[in-house]
Amino acid sequence: MRAADEALIVVDVQNDFCPAGALAAAGGDQIIPRINALMDEFATVVLTQDWHPADHSSFAANHPGAAAFSLFDMPYGPQVLWPVHCVQGTAGAEFHPALRRDPAHLIIRKGFRSAIDSYSAFFENDRKTPTGLAGYLHEIGVKKLTLVGLATDYCVAYSALDGVEHGFSVDLLEGACRAIDLNGSLADARARTLAAGVVWRD
Ligand code: VGL
Ligand code: ZN
């Protein structure tokens, strides 16, 4: 067991981010056995779940003429337009069937407001709207986070950065994550998280 003040944050291990999913990270399902085993080491386990309404503004399909993976100017800044993924109530939004969920104390959903995307488990993409996760973790005395899941360069990296911002010490287990890697996004995420003090481990 790790120290009682450590939490495992399992980011978006959902069907749509795994092979054959709508927005797959290559090898996304390969990380699941390790994540399942890690859950036994932590007193606090949190799962996050990307959970979009069908009319979500991050979907290219909701912007006539726009291509998936292009950039779009949202009121809160540039946003990648994604293929339709993790729509509430669909199979793609479910956790991968091999992922253990019994050990989770909290499942936090994000991206459920049509007008704002949410990569981070802590803040939506306007960087202002909180999910409540920081309050939960602080209130139960968590000091250190270990981040695993999908995708390394989006939801995991953004959660890591915001974790540091909220005063947690943050480890990112690269071998228990897989990336989308769009236009250098993985190298970019690594540089930005390292500069912020996130510790990358195998
Ligand atoms: C994610 C893009 C869009 C992720 C979620 O989980 O990394 N990426 N929605
Ligand atoms: Zn999403």
Side-chain angles (χ1 to χ4, degrees):
M1 268 319 256
R2 312 273 183 126
D5 62 358
E6 294 197 27
L8 179 69
I9 314 291
V10 181
V11 177
D12 298 1
V13 182
Q14 294 166 257
N15 289 325
D16 270 343
F17 298 123
C18 291
L23 180 48
D29 54 346
Q30 295 167 0
I31 62 178
I32 296 172
R34 183 165 172 207
I35 293 174
N36 283 344
L38 271 171
M39 288 182 185
D40 290 328
E41 293 182 26
F42 288 83
T44 300
V45 175
V46 174
L47 307 184
T48 75
Q49 190 172 24
D50 211 39
W51 194 247
H52 300 307
D55 67 350
H56 198 253
S57 56
S58 79
F59 296 163
N62 292 326
H63 300 271
F69 305 108
S70 63
L71 277 177
F72 187 84
D73 274 315
M74 298 287 198
Y76 54 81
Q79 159 81 47
V80 178
L81 293 182
W82 300 107
V84 173
H85 66 278
C86 296
V87 174
Q88 296 170 8
T90 65
E94 290 306 312
F95 293 112
H96 188 286
L99 183 75
R100 292 170 69 200
R101 45 214 89 185
D102 289 354
H105 294 173
L106 178 72
I107 296 174
I108 189 140
R109 288 173 167 168
K110 59 190 181 57
F112 48 74
R113 293 185 178 86
S114 297
I116 322 180
D117 203 4
S118 187
Y119 295 151
S120 161
F122 294 100
F123 286 115
E124 304 200 24
N125 285 8
D126 61 359
R127 319 307 302 147
K128 287 197 296 266
T129 308
T131 62
L133 180 59
Y136 171 81
L137 294 171
H138 283 313
E139 190 167 8
I140 65 173
V142 169
K143 301 270 188 292
K144 178 174 176 181
L145 310 179
T146 295
L147 283 160
V148 297
L150 306 170
T152 323
D153 41 345
Y154 287 96
C155 292
V156 177
Y158 278 72
S159 299
L161 285 172
D162 287 346
V164 170
E165 182 118 328
H166 279 294
F168 300 105
S169 82
V170 180
D171 282 3
L172 187 160
L173 299 193
E174 189 175 12
C177 298
R178 289 292 184 275
I180 293 174
D181 205 9
L182 181 65
N183 302 321
S185 55
L186 181 57
D188 196 58
R190 187 191 303 269
R192 286 194 296 138
T193 52
L194 286 172
V198 174
V199 177
W200 284 58
R201 298 185 190 280
D202 294 340

